[in-house]
Amino acid sequence: MRHLGFSRSVLCFTNLLNLYYRTGDYDKVDALINEMEEEKIHLNRYIYGIWLSASAAASETEKFEMILTRMKMDAHFVWDWTTGVVVTSGYYRLGLLDKALEMLKKLAGNKDEVLRLWDAYKNKRKVYNKGYNCVVNSLLKFDDIESAEMILEQWMSSDLTCDIRIPNNLIHAYSKTGHLEKAEALRSEFVRKGGKLDHMTWYHLVKGYIQNNQMPEAYDAMKKAILVCPSRWKPGPQSLTACLESIIGKESAEEAKEFIELLRAKDIISADAQNKLLNCIYDEKASWEALSEIIGNALGDNAEAPGTLGEADKSRGHGVWDANAAVADSDCESLSGEETR
């Protein structure tokens, strides 16, 4: 704009940026942004929106993420719903369905928007496990079990590998809402198709069994969860206490002893907690409160919060950015960060 002799107002910059974006001159968008930075002109939400849209149109994922990071750090930037829509559209255009759905969820969208985005996406490209996992998870955030079941059926009939995360979403929902027969049926169907259950499959069932007062089944599922759990995973203290209390008694002292030793072997409790729990086995006056205190102290901050099923709620991001429903790491991503096919 310098050599053109135009006004240096933010409005003029915005209009010219929009022109470059509309005509596909994405390099000029970057150049003009750099010029604004040199003149220490603050970027507003309209300019950020154009910059995001241009980077998405140019299929520049790294730049798109860089802009979001900059927005996060910009003390002058205030997140709003319109910017969230731009981010959602950008993620979709870049082929990042999981992040698009995550942003849509943060914008308090509805299930119809999720399904519309899903239909548009799957009609344009092949969808892998990560996409199925994310859309099922998003639908269940809206308590739309019926639509989630429909997506699950599509996945079950596909040629993709058996990814336990996808049925686990529904096993969780079934268990939480008291539909244990459906949860058990889905678990069995997944195994018949050659799938391998993980610790969270069993732990979701634990919660449902406890809620339904089926303590023998809850204890059995808890034991299976612990046997296959990864290192550093711990169940919630209330669920663990309830399962342990259900087997403590003179007739089941040996079973309780073996279970406590398993907890120690999997590094879920310390040696000190193991000794205290073993003492409780033979103490007829041992109460639920005593067990709860020992286990609570042993598990530390692994409190059972709503929706976490006993796993610690490790929030990511901070400050105003989170409060305004801004972009955070997608909780639909795999632990490895790789696409599961």
Side-chain angles (χ1 to χ4, degrees):
M1 281 178 62
R2 293 192 191 97
H3 69 280
L4 294 175
F6 288 166
S7 167
R8 319 301 291 159
S9 70
V10 173
L11 178 60
C12 286
F13 274 107
T14 304
N15 289 336
L16 194 53
L17 282 167
N18 192 47
L19 174 64
Y20 290 152
Y21 165 60
R22 297 294 180 188
T23 57
D25 289 331
Y26 306 129
D27 289 339
K28 290 184 179 180
V29 170
D30 291 335
L32 198 55
I33 293 290
N34 289 335
E35 189 174 327
M36 293 181 71
E37 291 176 335
E38 290 173 3
E39 299 195 13
K40 301 188 184 307
I41 298 175
H42 294 305
L43 308 189
N44 59 30
R45 63 188 178 92
Y46 302 107
I47 293 173
Y48 273 125
I50 295 170
W51 198 11
L52 284 168
S53 298
S55 63
S59 300
E60 294 184 288
T61 304
E62 289 187 10
K63 183 183 292 182
F64 188 88
E65 297 287 5
M66 178 276 292
I67 298 169
L68 290 175
T69 300
R70 172 168 172 167
M71 291 162 65
K72 176 180 178 180
M73 300 173 65
D74 189 342
H76 299 279
F77 176 74
V78 178
W79 187 273
D80 67 356
W81 186 86
T82 303
T83 308
V85 172
V86 173
V87 174
T88 301
S89 299
Y91 276 138
Y92 170 68
R93 195 164 188 173
L94 291 167
L96 301 173
L97 175 66
D98 53 341
K99 292 190 175 183
L101 289 170
E102 178 66 13
M103 178 52 65
L104 184 63
K105 180 179 64 180
K106 290 177 178 178
L107 291 173
N110 56 53
K111 64 179 183 180
D112 292 330
E113 291 176 276
V114 172
L115 290 170
R116 179 189 60 77
L117 185 60
W118 169 251
D119 287 337
Y121 185 84
K122 71 178 183 178
N123 288 334
K124 292 183 66 174
R125 66 187 71 213
K126 180 177 176 63
V127 183
Y128 295 101
N129 284 336
K130 193 174 182 181
Y132 279 103
N133 180 56
C134 194
V135 73
V136 169
N137 183 279
S138 296
L139 289 167
L140 291 176
K141 296 292 184 183
F142 298 111
D143 296 321
D144 188 2
I145 291 180
E146 184 177 347
S147 294
E149 289 173 330
M150 176 188 70
I151 302 297
L152 181 74
E153 288 179 10
Q154 295 174 13
W155 174 75
M156 294 283 269
S157 62
S158 73
D159 59 356
L160 297 173
T161 56
C162 294
D163 186 342
I164 187 58
R165 295 177 304 164
I166 301 168
N168 268 354
N169 288 314
L170 270 163
I171 291 172
H172 174 196
Y174 290 147
S175 299
K176 185 173 65 173
T177 55
H179 296 94
L180 284 170
E181 290 184 2
K182 282 190 170 185
E184 292 169 335
L186 179 53
R187 177 200 65 194
S188 299
E189 183 180 2
F190 183 73
V191 172
R192 282 197 301 272
K193 287 185 173 291
K196 184 178 179 180
L197 306 179
D198 70 357
H199 63 296
M200 290 309 297
T201 312
W202 295 111
Y203 192 57
H204 293 328
L205 289 167
V206 168
K207 303 287 284 189
Y209 288 136
I210 291 175
Q211 183 177 304
N212 207 40
N213 201 31
Q214 295 177 238
M215 294 314 300
E217 291 84 355
Y219 167 72
D220 183 60
M222 178 68 84
K223 190 172 181 180
K224 289 175 178 175
I226 291 170
L227 283 168
V228 299
C229 75
S231 61
R232 295 190 293 179
W233 179 84
K234 295 183 179 183
Q238 294 179 3
S239 299
L240 184 57
T241 301
C243 289
L244 186 55
E245 184 193 31
S246 73
I247 61 168
I248 286 184
K250 291 182 179 179
E251 294 83 7
S252 54
E254 189 60 31
E255 175 66 27
K257 179 174 179 291
E258 290 179 3
F259 183 64
I260 292 169
E261 289 173 346
L262 173 63
L263 294 175
R264 176 62 192 136
K266 298 290 285 188
D267 201 27
I268 290 174
I269 61 173
S270 65
D272 180 59
Q274 177 188 15
N275 292 333
K276 290 178 179 178
L277 288 173
L278 288 173
N279 289 335
C280 284
I281 294 176
Y282 304 102
D283 184 356
E284 295 182 0
K285 296 182 180 180
S287 63
W288 186 90
E289 288 78 10
L291 284 175
S292 180
E293 182 177 357
I294 296 170
I295 292 174
N297 291 335
L299 300 185
D301 65 353
N302 201 52
E304 281 175 297
T308 65
L309 289 173
E311 293 188 298
D313 183 14
K314 306 293 185 183
S315 309
R316 288 169 288 185
H318 28 261
V320 176
W321 188 256
D322 283 339
N324 287 286
V327 181
D329 296 334
S330 171
D331 56 10
C332 299
E333 292 178 345
S334 65
L335 293 175
S336 65
E338 298 174 351
E339 180 74 78
T340 306
R341 297 173 182 253

Short mmCIF file of all heavy atoms in Angstrom, two decimals, residues 200-227:
data_model
loop_
_atom_site.label_atom_id
_atom_site.label_comp_id
_atom_site.label_asym_id
_atom_site.label_seq_id
_atom_site.Cartn_x
_atom_site.Cartn_y
_atom_site.Cartn_z
N MET A 200 -10.48 -49.32 28.67
CA MET A 200 -11.62 -48.42 28.78
C MET A 200 -12.93 -49.11 28.44
O MET A 200 -13.98 -48.73 28.95
CB MET A 200 -11.41 -47.20 27.89
CG MET A 200 -10.31 -46.25 28.39
SD MET A 200 -10.49 -45.77 30.14
CE MET A 200 -12.05 -44.89 30.11
N THR A 201 -12.90 -50.13 27.59
CA THR A 201 -14.12 -50.91 27.33
C THR A 201 -14.64 -51.47 28.64
O THR A 201 -15.82 -51.31 28.99
CB THR A 201 -13.82 -52.09 26.38
OG1 THR A 201 -13.08 -51.64 25.26
CG2 THR A 201 -15.13 -52.74 25.92
N TRP A 202 -13.75 -52.12 29.37
CA TRP A 202 -14.15 -52.73 30.64
C TRP A 202 -14.51 -51.69 31.68
O TRP A 202 -15.43 -51.88 32.47
CB TRP A 202 -13.03 -53.65 31.14
CG TRP A 202 -12.78 -54.82 30.25
CD1 TRP A 202 -11.69 -55.06 29.46
CD2 TRP A 202 -13.69 -55.92 30.00
NE1 TRP A 202 -11.84 -56.22 28.76
CE2 TRP A 202 -13.06 -56.78 29.07
CE3 TRP A 202 -14.96 -56.25 30.48
CZ2 TRP A 202 -13.65 -57.94 28.60
CZ3 TRP A 202 -15.56 -57.42 30.01
CH2 TRP A 202 -14.91 -58.25 29.09
N TYR A 203 -13.78 -50.59 31.67
CA TYR A 203 -14.04 -49.58 32.69
C TYR A 203 -15.37 -48.87 32.48
O TYR A 203 -16.07 -48.51 33.44
CB TYR A 203 -12.88 -48.56 32.73
CG TYR A 203 -12.95 -47.69 33.95
CD1 TYR A 203 -12.95 -48.25 35.23
CD2 TYR A 203 -13.01 -46.30 33.86
CE1 TYR A 203 -13.02 -47.46 36.37
CE2 TYR A 203 -13.07 -45.51 34.99
CZ TYR A 203 -13.08 -46.10 36.24
OH TYR A 203 -13.14 -45.31 37.37
N HIS A 204 -15.74 -48.64 31.23
CA HIS A 204 -17.07 -48.09 30.96
C HIS A 204 -18.14 -49.03 31.53
O HIS A 204 -19.13 -48.58 32.11
CB HIS A 204 -17.29 -47.94 29.44
CG HIS A 204 -16.42 -46.90 28.81
ND1 HIS A 204 -16.00 -45.77 29.45
CD2 HIS A 204 -15.89 -46.83 27.55
CE1 HIS A 204 -15.25 -45.04 28.64
NE2 HIS A 204 -15.17 -45.66 27.47
N LEU A 205 -17.94 -50.33 31.33
CA LEU A 205 -18.89 -51.31 31.85
C LEU A 205 -18.90 -51.31 33.39
O LEU A 205 -19.96 -51.49 33.99
CB LEU A 205 -18.55 -52.70 31.32
CG LEU A 205 -18.83 -52.90 29.82
CD1 LEU A 205 -18.17 -54.19 29.32
CD2 LEU A 205 -20.34 -52.94 29.55
N VAL A 206 -17.74 -51.13 34.00
CA VAL A 206 -17.68 -51.06 35.46
C VAL A 206 -18.65 -50.01 35.97
O VAL A 206 -19.45 -50.25 36.89
CB VAL A 206 -16.25 -50.71 35.94
CG1 VAL A 206 -16.25 -50.34 37.42
CG2 VAL A 206 -15.30 -51.87 35.70
N LYS A 207 -18.59 -48.82 35.38
CA LYS A 207 -19.44 -47.73 35.82
C LYS A 207 -20.92 -48.07 35.68
O LYS A 207 -21.74 -47.76 36.54
CB LYS A 207 -19.12 -46.47 35.03
CG LYS A 207 -17.67 -46.02 35.10
CD LYS A 207 -17.34 -45.41 36.44
CE LYS A 207 -17.90 -44.01 36.56
NZ LYS A 207 -17.40 -43.32 37.77
N GLY A 208 -21.27 -48.73 34.57
CA GLY A 208 -22.65 -49.12 34.36
C GLY A 208 -23.11 -50.17 35.34
O GLY A 208 -24.24 -50.11 35.87
N TYR A 209 -22.26 -51.16 35.60
CA TYR A 209 -22.62 -52.22 36.55
C TYR A 209 -22.81 -51.66 37.96
O TYR A 209 -23.74 -52.06 38.68
CB TYR A 209 -21.53 -53.30 36.56
CG TYR A 209 -21.49 -54.16 35.32
CD1 TYR A 209 -20.27 -54.47 34.70
CD2 TYR A 209 -22.66 -54.67 34.76
CE1 TYR A 209 -20.22 -55.26 33.57
CE2 TYR A 209 -22.62 -55.46 33.62
CZ TYR A 209 -21.39 -55.75 33.03
OH TYR A 209 -21.35 -56.54 31.90
N ILE A 210 -21.92 -50.76 38.37
CA ILE A 210 -22.06 -50.17 39.71
C ILE A 210 -23.36 -49.39 39.80
O ILE A 210 -24.09 -49.49 40.80
CB ILE A 210 -20.85 -49.26 40.02
CG1 ILE A 210 -19.59 -50.09 40.19
CG2 ILE A 210 -21.10 -48.43 41.28
CD1 ILE A 210 -18.32 -49.27 40.38
N GLN A 211 -23.64 -48.63 38.76
CA GLN A 211 -24.89 -47.85 38.74
C GLN A 211 -26.11 -48.75 38.83
O GLN A 211 -27.13 -48.38 39.42
CB GLN A 211 -24.93 -47.03 37.44
CG GLN A 211 -26.13 -46.11 37.30
CD GLN A 211 -26.04 -45.28 36.03
OE1 GLN A 211 -25.08 -44.57 35.81
NE2 GLN A 211 -27.05 -45.40 35.18
N ASN A 212 -26.00 -49.94 38.26
CA ASN A 212 -27.11 -50.90 38.26
C ASN A 212 -27.03 -51.89 39.42
O ASN A 212 -27.78 -52.86 39.46
CB ASN A 212 -27.12 -51.66 36.93
CG ASN A 212 -28.49 -52.16 36.56
OD1 ASN A 212 -29.50 -51.47 36.75
ND2 ASN A 212 -28.56 -53.39 36.04
N ASN A 213 -26.10 -51.64 40.34
CA ASN A 213 -25.90 -52.48 41.53
C ASN A 213 -25.59 -53.93 41.18
O ASN A 213 -25.98 -54.86 41.89
CB ASN A 213 -27.13 -52.42 42.45
CG ASN A 213 -26.80 -52.83 43.86
OD1 ASN A 213 -25.69 -52.64 44.33
ND2 ASN A 213 -27.76 -53.43 44.55
N GLN A 214 -24.85 -54.15 40.11
CA GLN A 214 -24.40 -55.48 39.72
C GLN A 214 -22.92 -55.61 40.10
O GLN A 214 -22.04 -55.57 39.26
CB GLN A 214 -24.59 -55.70 38.22
CG GLN A 214 -26.04 -55.70 37.76
CD GLN A 214 -26.17 -55.86 36.25
OE1 GLN A 214 -26.76 -55.01 35.59
NE2 GLN A 214 -25.61 -56.92 35.71
N MET A 215 -22.69 -55.78 41.41
CA MET A 215 -21.32 -55.70 41.91
C MET A 215 -20.41 -56.85 41.48
O MET A 215 -19.21 -56.61 41.21
CB MET A 215 -21.33 -55.54 43.42
CG MET A 215 -21.94 -54.21 43.88
SD MET A 215 -21.33 -52.77 42.94
CE MET A 215 -19.57 -52.86 43.27
N PRO A 216 -20.89 -58.09 41.40
CA PRO A 216 -20.00 -59.15 40.90
C PRO A 216 -19.50 -58.85 39.48
O PRO A 216 -18.32 -59.05 39.17
CB PRO A 216 -20.89 -60.40 40.94
CG PRO A 216 -21.89 -60.11 42.02
CD PRO A 216 -22.18 -58.65 41.88
N GLU A 217 -20.42 -58.37 38.64
CA GLU A 217 -20.03 -58.03 37.26
C GLU A 217 -19.09 -56.82 37.24
O GLU A 217 -18.15 -56.76 36.45
CB GLU A 217 -21.28 -57.72 36.42
CG GLU A 217 -22.16 -58.92 36.13
CD GLU A 217 -23.14 -59.23 37.26
OE1 GLU A 217 -23.08 -58.55 38.32
OE2 GLU A 217 -23.97 -60.14 37.09
N ALA A 218 -19.35 -55.86 38.14
CA ALA A 218 -18.49 -54.67 38.21
C ALA A 218 -17.07 -55.06 38.61
O ALA A 218 -16.10 -54.59 38.01
CB ALA A 218 -19.07 -53.67 39.21
N TYR A 219 -16.95 -55.92 39.61
CA TYR A 219 -15.63 -56.34 40.06
C TYR A 219 -14.90 -57.10 38.95
O TYR A 219 -13.71 -56.86 38.70
CB TYR A 219 -15.74 -57.23 41.30
CG TYR A 219 -14.45 -57.94 41.62
CD1 TYR A 219 -13.36 -57.25 42.13
CD2 TYR A 219 -14.30 -59.31 41.36
CE1 TYR A 219 -12.15 -57.90 42.39
CE2 TYR A 219 -13.11 -59.96 41.62
CZ TYR A 219 -12.04 -59.25 42.13
OH TYR A 219 -10.85 -59.89 42.38
N ASP A 220 -15.60 -57.99 38.28
CA ASP A 220 -14.98 -58.78 37.20
C ASP A 220 -14.48 -57.86 36.08
O ASP A 220 -13.37 -58.03 35.56
CB ASP A 220 -15.99 -59.78 36.66
CG ASP A 220 -15.40 -60.68 35.59
OD1 ASP A 220 -14.43 -61.40 35.90
OD2 ASP A 220 -15.88 -60.66 34.44
N ALA A 221 -15.30 -56.86 35.71
CA ALA A 221 -14.91 -55.93 34.65
C ALA A 221 -13.74 -55.05 35.10
O ALA A 221 -12.83 -54.76 34.31
CB ALA A 221 -16.10 -55.06 34.25
N MET A 222 -13.75 -54.65 36.38
CA MET A 222 -12.64 -53.83 36.89
C MET A 222 -11.32 -54.61 36.83
O MET A 222 -10.27 -54.07 36.44
CB MET A 222 -12.93 -53.40 38.34
CG MET A 222 -11.80 -52.58 38.98
SD MET A 222 -11.57 -50.95 38.24
CE MET A 222 -12.81 -50.01 39.15
N LYS A 223 -11.38 -55.87 37.21
CA LYS A 223 -10.18 -56.69 37.18
C LYS A 223 -9.65 -56.83 35.76
O LYS A 223 -8.43 -56.73 35.52
CB LYS A 223 -10.49 -58.07 37.78
CG LYS A 223 -9.26 -58.93 38.01
CD LYS A 223 -9.61 -60.19 38.78
CE LYS A 223 -8.37 -61.05 39.04
NZ LYS A 223 -8.72 -62.28 39.79
N LYS A 224 -10.55 -57.00 34.80
CA LYS A 224 -10.14 -57.12 33.40
C LYS A 224 -9.55 -55.80 32.89
O LYS A 224 -8.59 -55.80 32.11
CB LYS A 224 -11.32 -57.55 32.54
CG LYS A 224 -11.72 -59.00 32.77
CD LYS A 224 -12.98 -59.38 31.99
CE LYS A 224 -13.33 -60.85 32.21
NZ LYS A 224 -14.59 -61.23 31.56
N ALA A 225 -10.13 -54.68 33.34
CA ALA A 225 -9.60 -53.38 32.93
C ALA A 225 -8.17 -53.19 33.43
O ALA A 225 -7.29 -52.73 32.70
CB ALA A 225 -10.50 -52.26 33.48
N ILE A 226 -7.93 -53.58 34.68
CA ILE A 226 -6.61 -53.41 35.28
C ILE A 226 -5.59 -54.34 34.64
O ILE A 226 -4.43 -53.97 34.43
CB ILE A 226 -6.69 -53.62 36.80
CG1 ILE A 226 -7.49 -52.47 37.42
CG2 ILE A 226 -5.31 -53.73 37.43
CD1 ILE A 226 -7.86 -52.67 38.86
N LEU A 227 -6.02 -55.54 34.28
CA LEU A 227 -5.10 -56.49 33.67
C LEU A 227 -4.54 -56.01 32.34
O LEU A 227 -3.41 -56.32 31.99
CB LEU A 227 -5.81 -57.84 33.49
CG LEU A 227 -5.96 -58.71 34.74
CD1 LEU A 227 -6.91 -59.87 34.48
CD2 LEU A 227 -4.58 -59.23 35.19
#
